[in-house]
Amino acid sequence: MRVEYPSFGRITVEGDVYGHDIVVYPSGRVERRKKWISKEKHGTSHRLDPEELKEYLTEDFDLLLVGTGMYGKLSLLPESRKLAEGKEVIELPTGEAVKVFSEESGKRRVLAIFHVTC
């Protein structure tokens, strides 16, 4: 699966351009990130709350990859990280996370959450 992060506020998956945060499932399904769940609880969508993360745990995965945005603003809360216990978790600025996704998606089941702005 081909993912590119061409510029702030945009991400491309298999040629489709998204102007919002997305979740890419191990099956290849892409959906809009449900960031309002975290925002309602914390006043910001930059903290990935466990209630939000639970929404994405519908497919088995080996690696949880979090693209934290161009400037690394998004982060997993410790309680969210516990939901992925026993799995590898990588948090990187989105540009770097896209590179890891490209390297790993053919080898392992990757659940990726990409923040496309800050």
Side-chain angles (χ1 to χ4, degrees):
M1 173 170 273
R2 185 180 172 109
V3 177
E4 298 172 339
Y5 184 52
S7 63
F8 185 90
R10 289 183 36 219
I11 193 163
T12 304
V13 181
E14 293 295 318
D16 294 324
V17 179
Y18 299 88
H20 52 75
D21 294 4
I22 61 170
V23 179
V24 180
Y25 291 88
S27 65
R29 180 170 52 107
V30 178
E31 73 177 25
R32 181 181 215 117
R33 181 180 159 220
K34 300 171 184 172
K35 63 184 183 179
W36 61 88
I37 297 169
S38 294
K39 188 168 186 167
E40 285 178 2
K41 195 167 180 184
H42 302 282
T44 180
S45 61
H46 290 145
R47 293 187 187 101
L48 191 62
D49 188 82
E51 292 304 313
E52 180 186 345
L53 183 57
K54 284 178 187 175
E55 293 285 320
Y56 314 133
L57 301 180
T58 59
E59 296 182 18
D60 197 20
F61 64 96
D62 303 308
L63 169 62
L64 173 60
L65 179 62
V66 180
T68 61
M70 186 170 275
Y71 308 115
K73 294 289 187 183
L74 176 64
S75 63
L76 276 173
L77 291 172
E79 311 88 83
S80 300
R81 188 175 281 275
K82 285 181 185 176
L83 291 175
E85 210 163 55
K87 310 286 186 172
E88 184 175 3
V89 178
I90 298 175
E91 294 179 83
L92 291 169
T94 299
E96 293 174 46
V98 164
K99 291 176 188 172
V100 170
F101 183 88
S102 295
E103 294 166 2
E104 297 298 326
S105 66
K107 301 172 191 167
R108 298 194 282 169
R109 296 170 297 181
V110 180
L111 173 61
I113 301 166
F114 293 114
H115 181 53
V116 299
T117 57
C118 52

